[in-house]
Amino acid sequence: MIRQNNYKIISSKNAVEFVKSSADRFLNFLSQFETPTVILPTGNTPLPMYKALRESGKKLNFTYLQLDEYLGLEPDSQRLFSNWLAQEVLDPMEIPYDQRIIFRSDNLFPQDEVDKMQGWFEENGPADIAVLGIGSNGHIGFNEPPSDENTRTRIVELRPETLKANNAYWQDEKKTPEQVFTLGISEILKSKKIILLVTGKSKAKILKKALTEEPNPNTPASYLQTHPDVTVIADKEALSELKA
């Protein structure tokens, strides 16, 4: 494991700057590849970037590679990350269905989905661009701690803090599935370019750990330090601990 520590940090003074920096950097990276494969995250943080992409008027063409997904949900469930991304990005951008590489949540043999994704990587990988968020416990994708740099695509049990955070998106008492598919840190780190999007004071401490402590399984995002081309785009609140 080689610690690079050569990530780039783009600090945004406000929400407008954050959106512009995120969308501009993503579009710039897209333009560097003829037919890029792209990993995209769900959550509140990337929503403004997706809105900017929809409103840009640009015709985008890429293959979408799913980062993570719940197990056991029906194909029309609003909780499916694949449906969430379809609504926010893939449908508005008219990304063809045969360019959407996703986990099938309702497969009664979920290991088949893991094997399918692993097979796709072996034949077509790696991703050209990975856009990521960071969990409050330092996960990227759903690589919950402890997860090291050798983890591969697999099924993961969500930790209580992650379940609580995910339930908050729905504002109801429905139970979030406790198991998920996720690309492993190994697959994520093979991406040619990585963008990490982080906002809010609540992510300040974990972002500092991810960027400054020795890469370790208890802070999975810390392994991003070993990648040669990571751009961190964050607001002032998320970067506040780094100033100390």
Side-chain angles (χ1 to χ4, degrees):
M1 180 176 63
I2 300 174
R3 188 176 184 180
Q4 303 271 0
N5 278 354
N6 59 351
Y7 47 79
K8 310 170 190 71
I9 297 179
I10 299 176
S11 177
S12 303
K13 297 178 182 177
N14 51 49
V16 174
E17 275 195 12
F18 179 81
V19 174
K20 186 176 188 311
S21 296
S22 303
D24 286 353
R25 183 56 59 109
F26 179 70
L27 291 171
N28 176 269
F29 284 173
L30 276 183
S31 70
Q32 297 178 34
F33 301 95
E34 186 174 348
T35 54
T37 298
V38 175
I39 295 170
L40 296 172
T42 53
N44 288 327
T45 301
L47 279 175
M49 184 185 83
Y50 295 152
K51 183 174 185 289
L53 294 176
R54 293 196 303 270
E55 295 176 349
S56 69
K58 296 181 181 295
K59 177 65 175 177
L60 305 184
N61 183 34
F62 55 83
T63 293
Y64 163 64
L65 179 63
Q66 190 167 23
L67 177 61
D68 44 33
E69 184 60 279
Y70 292 125
L71 267 72
L73 297 179
E74 294 301 315
D76 61 350
S77 173
Q78 64 173 335
R79 291 171 181 260
L80 280 178
F81 295 144
S82 56
N83 290 342
W84 194 96
L85 263 297
Q87 175 182 307
E88 293 295 327
V89 184
L90 306 179
D91 290 348
M93 296 288 102
E94 300 181 351
I95 302 301
Y97 284 98
D98 63 0
Q99 292 175 210
R100 305 181 189 187
I101 314 302
I102 66 173
F103 296 101
R104 181 182 158 194
S105 177
D106 65 336
N107 192 334
L108 297 178
F109 304 95
Q111 184 60 39
D112 289 351
E113 294 301 302
V114 173
D115 295 342
K116 177 190 74 176
M117 192 64 79
Q118 202 63 56
W120 186 94
F121 260 95
E122 291 172 3
E123 293 183 17
N124 305 284
D128 296 299
I129 305 164
V131 183
L132 306 171
I134 183 173
S136 59
N137 62 8
H139 69 233
I140 48 175
F142 272 130
N143 292 284
E144 297 276 55
S147 292
D148 65 31
E149 77 272 29
N150 298 312
T151 56
R152 302 183 71 188
T153 302
R154 66 201 190 283
I155 296 168
V156 172
E157 294 277 347
L158 293 180
R159 291 174 60 120
E161 61 269 23
T162 303
L163 285 168
K164 181 178 179 180
N166 287 4
N167 279 327
Y169 284 110
W170 304 104
Q171 300 179 348
D172 61 28
E173 298 302 320
K174 293 180 181 178
K175 188 177 181 181
T176 297
E178 296 181 5
Q179 288 188 312
V180 293
F181 299 106
T182 187
L183 300 184
I185 295 177
S186 174
E187 284 90 14
I188 291 171
L189 291 179
K190 287 183 175 71
S191 304
K192 296 172 185 174
K193 295 180 177 293
I194 294 177
I195 300 173
L196 180 67
L197 303 178
V198 193
T199 59
K201 183 70 174 177
S202 65
K203 297 292 178 71
K205 290 185 183 299
I206 195 62
L207 180 60
K208 180 180 179 180
K209 290 181 68 176
L211 297 183
T212 62
E213 67 180 20
E214 193 72 22
N216 70 92
N218 293 320
T219 307
S222 63
Y223 289 107
L224 293 175
Q225 295 180 49
T226 69
H227 192 279
D229 196 339
V230 174
T231 301
V232 180
I233 303 176
D235 61 13
K236 293 188 297 182
E237 289 76 17
L239 292 170
S240 59
E241 290 286 329
L242 287 167
K243 298 175 183 178

